Amino acid sequence: MVTITVSGVDKSGALARISAFLVRRGYPLRGQQLADSPSGKVLKIMLDVFQVDRAKLAAEIKSLSPEFSVIAVDGDQSGTAPSVKEIAAKFPNIGALLRAYAESFGADLRDEELFEAGRKIGAFHYEKEWSFGNPLKMPIALRRTLVPALEAMTKVEATDTEVRFPNSPFCAGTVACCGFLGGFMRGFLDAGPLTAGATRVARTSCKAKGDASCAFKIEYDL
């Protein structure tokens, strides 16, 4: 979690104005409070992220009013991307870590790296939580195991041939992280004895790219 401190917020409505602006820009707010300082009131805002671009954030807040100024950023771990192992250890509360992981790669590699991270974590999660009991074939495996595993992370709407994420937290900001979900599904299903190598996952839409929701087409051999 990152806490930013903003000065110049003595006027009424400053808290609501800044908070609303951050929400619109896709920053996940954890909490906020006004506090006294020797130079006047300051606003402390807790963001549920692993890191922030301090210069960009300061400029965005300054654009709201010349009086606003970001004077401190605490807990920011810029330049230190989490590992796949660290993300897996925090499952299913991985939104902030995943965004930091995605931002550590250039646009040309991001989707590939997110898919691979998702594949590894999906396989690990299957072995840890779902490998007990009788193996299942598709589409039963999708309904009884994959969808519940995905629901631990986000809301899911699924048919036997499509999985849709109407409010994916992985595409709440400016960086699309839903490729991770595609990798997770692939890794999860490949770990199942009766679904390994028999399922294909392809992204058909992405909310961060202007579509109504993130969605994936599921094809499989019976």
Side-chain angles (χ1 to χ4, degrees):
M1 184 177 70
V2 171
T3 300
I4 63 171
T5 303
V6 183
S7 64
V9 295
D10 296 272
K11 292 183 179 180
S12 176
L15 186 155
R17 187 178 178 188
I18 295 173
S19 297
F21 176 79
L22 291 173
V23 170
R24 288 196 303 271
R25 287 300 180 96
Y27 292 99
L29 268 64
R30 186 78 173 269
Q32 57 274 322
Q33 67 179 50
L34 284 171
D36 292 321
S37 75
S39 59
K41 289 188 178 296
V42 295
L43 172 61
K44 291 183 177 291
I45 300 180
M46 287 68 77
L47 303 176
D48 191 15
V49 296
F50 188 73
Q51 64 184 49
V52 296
D53 183 331
R54 177 169 179 165
K56 178 184 176 183
L57 182 60
E60 289 177 330
I61 291 177
K62 193 76 171 179
S63 69
L64 293 176
S65 170
E67 297 178 349
F68 298 155
S69 179
V70 174
I71 59 175
V73 177
D74 299 313
D76 183 14
Q77 300 184 48
S78 298
T80 307
S83 66
V84 172
K85 184 177 180 180
E86 289 171 329
I87 297 172
K90 293 292 185 179
F91 185 89
N93 302 312
I94 61 173
L97 289 173
L98 194 62
R99 281 189 292 274
Y101 183 81
E103 289 170 358
S104 70
F105 297 100
D108 56 332
L109 294 175
R110 186 174 296 138
D111 273 353
E112 180 182 344
E113 294 293 340
L114 284 168
F115 185 92
E116 183 62 16
R119 188 188 65 78
K120 291 178 180 178
I121 293 175
F124 172 77
H125 187 62
Y126 177 88
E127 295 292 344
K128 180 182 178 183
E129 302 291 342
W130 297 94
S131 59
F132 53 86
N134 295 326
L136 300 174
K137 293 182 178 181
M138 291 290 284
I140 298 173
L142 185 152
R143 296 194 298 264
R144 294 188 183 177
T145 59
L146 178 58
V147 168
L150 292 168
E151 286 177 333
M153 295 185 283
T154 182
K155 182 179 179 181
V156 180
E157 296 175 354
T159 68
D160 288 350
T161 58
E162 183 185 57
V163 178
R164 185 175 296 275
F165 304 93
N167 296 297
S168 172
F170 303 127
C171 284
T174 57
V175 175
C177 296
C178 58
F180 170 86
L181 296 171
F184 183 93
M185 289 188 281
R186 178 65 181 274
F188 187 96
L189 292 171
D190 277 352
L194 299 184
T195 53
T199 307
R200 294 164 294 282
V201 179
R203 183 168 52 188
T204 56
S205 64
C206 175
K207 191 171 184 179
K209 296 180 180 180
D211 297 314
S213 63
C214 299
F216 293 82
K217 181 180 180 181
I218 309 295
E219 296 180 334
Y220 46 88
D221 303 324
L222 293 175

